[in-house]
């Protein structure tokens, strides 16, 4: 009898350990919530959907250029295809790009703004896979243009350039994905450290200028609200640059410090169901999916690379992922995605933003999460 009791006790302890392990397990997920299945659904949805207008896949007027939400989804789709070894899927992403060299060339964005220049990330990712020179040439053009001062530059833009920063600097938190993504891609493609070094210098500028004492960020110095997706761009941007930044880069410790400070703040404000709010630190704000996906991506990347405690942040990342999959509808569209949002120093401006269905601002980071979980 005593042996039976001892055996049952051991089994209870073992099962308890197993249950606890599952709380932060980033490899095993319930059926229909696996990163392979979710990633495939989102990738297929993007490939079947026409170009969006700033993320809106149901625009009232057709797009006049490829916009950054498409870029972010495109990039995530190719990451997903590569990490799953799915060459046919990757080839379909490449085929979607082919018309931009001829019949859709009018949709190529002008290299004159952070939101436009991030486009270069896509051809650079195509180059990394195919080694076709045309992709490298196109992508590097967009990366270089962020540091080549135009002739008609405004005084503020010239001042930034004179200090060694991108003339496109504007100190909005969105920039820290738009700038770092294309510069990191250019470094991956060329091996030239100037790209990653200047991206790191830019990141430190933003951290030193606008990170709040609590670790979060206002949308801009003029808009004093911790908007969810805006902070998401910063979280994902830091994760991306740290993923590739050489260990001997002098700015790496400062970026890692800012990253850890932000991750700790996000952990504090994550809701019990795994979500984050439209204004992160406002308990009356609605729960929003695109920011949640970006924060989840930053957590996953940190855990996978050993920058974050796997038990604490792995559990938070798992909760975020499982929560997000619950917002994915039968048409493979993420719901409750905040519409495109400009800066405004008004709380209601953020609280009353429309909740869009299937907007690429949400589809993209969900795809990033799937890719990161499978790396």
């Amino acid at each position: 009898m005593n042996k039976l009791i001892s055996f049952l006790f051991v089994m209870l302890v073992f099962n308890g350990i197993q249950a606890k392990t599952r709380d932060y397990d980033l490899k095993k997920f319930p059926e229909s919530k696996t990163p392979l299945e979710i990633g495939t659904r989102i990738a297929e949805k993007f490939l079947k959907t026409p170009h969006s207008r700033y993320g809106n896949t149901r625009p009232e007027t057709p797009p006049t250029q490829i916009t950054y939400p498409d870029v972010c989804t495109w990039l995530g789709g190719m990451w997903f295809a590569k990490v799953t070894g799915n060459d046919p899927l990757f080839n379909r992403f490449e085929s979607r790009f082919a018309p931009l060299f001829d019949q859709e060339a009018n949709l190529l964005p002008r290299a004159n703004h952070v939101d436009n220049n991030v486009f270069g990330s896509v051809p650079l990712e195509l180059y990394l896979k195919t080694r076709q020179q045309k992709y490298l040439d196109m992508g590097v053009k967009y990366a270089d243009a962020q540091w080549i001062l135009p002739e008609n530059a405004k005084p503020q833009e010239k001042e930034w350039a004179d200090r060694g920063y991108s003339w496109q600097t504007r100190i909005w938190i969105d920039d820290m994905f738009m700038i770092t993504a294309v510069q990191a891609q250019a470094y991956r493609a060329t091996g030239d450290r100037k790209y990653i070094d200047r991206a790191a210098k830019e990141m430190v500028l933003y951290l030193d200028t606008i990170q709040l004492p609590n670790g979060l960020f206002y949308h801009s110095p003029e808009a004093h609200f911790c908007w969810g997706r805006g902070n998401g761009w910063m979280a994902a941007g830091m994760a991306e640059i740290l993923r590739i930044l050489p260990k001997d880069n002098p700015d790496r410790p400062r970026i890692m410090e800012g990253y850890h400070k932000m991750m700790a703040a996000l952990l504090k404000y994550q809701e019990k169901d795994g979500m984050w709010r439209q204004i992160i630190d406002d308990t009356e704000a609605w729960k929003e999916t695109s920011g949640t996906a970006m924060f989840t991506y930053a957590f996953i990347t940190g855990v996978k690379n050993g920058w974050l405690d796997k038990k604490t942040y792995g559990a938070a990342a798992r909760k975020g992922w499982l929560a997000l999959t619950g917002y994915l509808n039968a048409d493979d569209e993420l719901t409750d995605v905040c519409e495109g949002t400009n800066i405004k120093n008004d709380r209601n401006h953020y609280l009353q933003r429309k909740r869009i269905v299937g907007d690429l601002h949400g589809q993209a980071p969900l795809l990033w999460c799937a890719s990161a979980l499978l790396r």
Side-chain angles (χ1 to χ4, degrees):
M1 188 67 171
N2 288 337
K3 288 183 179 180
L4 178 60
I5 292 173
S6 297
F7 174 77
L8 290 173
F9 177 77
V10 169
M11 290 304 297
L12 284 170
V13 171
F14 177 77
N15 288 334
I17 292 172
Q18 289 292 91
K20 187 176 181 181
T21 300
R22 288 195 292 272
D23 290 343
Y24 59 85
D25 186 356
L26 296 182
K27 293 182 178 180
K28 297 178 182 177
F29 293 93
E31 188 177 352
S32 80
K33 294 179 179 291
T34 68
L36 180 60
E37 180 174 344
I38 299 297
T40 300
R41 289 171 61 186
I42 299 297
E44 289 290 344
K45 183 68 175 182
F46 177 71
L47 289 169
K48 296 171 184 174
T49 304
H51 302 310
S52 82
R53 187 176 180 87
Y54 290 98
N56 189 343
T57 56
R58 301 175 177 85
E60 295 180 0
T61 57
T64 57
Q65 67 172 66
I66 302 298
T67 53
Y68 69 86
D70 292 73
V71 168
C72 293
T73 316
W74 219 320
L75 188 59
M78 290 187 288
W79 286 347
F80 180 76
K82 287 171 73 172
V83 79
T84 56
N86 192 337
D87 287 343
L89 180 62
F90 188 94
N91 294 341
R92 290 168 62 198
F93 282 104
E94 183 179 11
S95 296
R96 185 182 176 95
F97 195 89
L100 294 172
F101 284 104
D102 39 61
Q103 66 261 38
E104 290 185 355
N106 62 302
L107 296 180
L108 290 173
R110 295 175 59 197
N112 63 353
H113 190 279
V114 287
D115 289 348
N116 287 345
N117 284 62
V118 74
F119 172 82
S121 302
V122 175
L124 288 169
E125 188 66 22
L126 288 168
Y127 171 75
L128 287 168
K129 175 71 172 177
T130 69
R131 295 296 166 178
Q132 292 188 49
Q133 188 66 34
K134 64 180 181 180
Y135 296 134
L136 180 65
D137 292 344
M138 180 184 284
V140 165
K141 181 188 76 171
Y142 282 93
D144 286 342
Q146 284 192 323
W147 261 260
I148 299 174
L149 190 70
E151 293 182 1
N152 63 344
K154 299 174 183 177
Q156 179 72 66
E157 294 168 340
K158 187 176 186 303
E159 182 180 338
W160 286 123
D162 289 343
R163 293 170 58 189
Y165 298 107
S166 170
W167 64 274
Q168 296 180 354
T169 301
R170 56 178 181 167
I171 314 296
W172 290 20
I173 44 178
D174 315 46
D175 303 351
M176 283 299 93
F177 184 86
M178 306 305 167
I179 292 176
T180 58
V182 67
Q183 298 301 321
Q185 286 287 92
Y187 170 61
R188 286 186 176 103
T190 66
D192 190 336
R193 285 192 58 154
K194 74 177 181 183
Y195 293 109
I196 199 66
D197 288 346
R198 66 193 187 189
K201 180 179 179 180
E202 191 84 16
M203 178 66 78
V204 169
L205 168 69
Y206 277 65
L207 288 171
D208 288 347
T209 304
I210 59 173
Q211 189 169 31
L212 301 171
N214 69 357
L216 300 178
F217 297 81
Y218 288 148
H219 194 173
S220 80
E222 296 78 36
H224 294 178
F225 296 92
C226 297
W227 174 43
R229 186 166 65 242
N231 276 263
W233 290 121
M234 177 61 79
M238 281 195 281
E240 274 308 287
I241 198 168
L242 287 169
R243 207 157 66 87
I244 191 174
L245 192 62
K247 295 290 191 294
D248 62 351
N249 179 279
D251 291 319
R252 185 179 176 87
R254 176 67 185 93
I255 298 172
M256 187 65 78
E257 176 192 357
Y259 169 81
H260 277 130
K261 188 175 181 181
M262 185 183 199
M263 297 303 104
L266 291 174
L267 189 66
K268 173 184 175 182
Y269 287 108
Q270 187 181 29
E271 296 295 326
K272 291 181 180 179
D273 63 357
M275 297 293 291
W276 280 270
R277 296 185 181 275
Q278 164 73 345
I279 299 177
I280 298 171
D281 53 353
D282 189 332
T283 57
E284 295 182 1
W286 49 282
K287 295 174 183 178
E288 199 273 335
T289 54
S290 67
T292 293
M294 292 179 180
F295 301 146
T296 300
Y297 175 75
F299 278 8
I300 296 167
T301 303
V303 170
K304 291 270 188 169
N305 285 278
W307 313 326
L308 299 175
D309 178 73
K310 67 178 182 180
K311 292 184 178 179
T312 302
Y313 289 92
R318 184 179 175 85
K319 279 202 304 182
W321 170 259
L322 292 174
L324 286 165
T325 60
Y327 284 82
L328 191 63
N329 67 21
D331 293 323
D332 301 328
E333 295 179 318
L334 201 61
T335 61
D336 286 21
V337 180
C338 175
E339 66 179 319
T341 300
N342 212 320
I343 63 169
K344 191 172 184 179
N345 198 28
D346 177 5
R347 178 172 177 262
N348 285 331
H349 171 69
Y350 296 94
L351 295 184
Q352 296 174 3
R353 302 308 289 165
K354 293 178 182 177
R355 308 183 195 193
I356 306 297
V357 174
D359 190 289
L360 297 185
H361 284 95
Q363 304 286 102
L366 186 59
L367 199 45
W368 303 346
C369 288
S371 302
L373 286 168
L374 293 167
R375 280 184 186 134

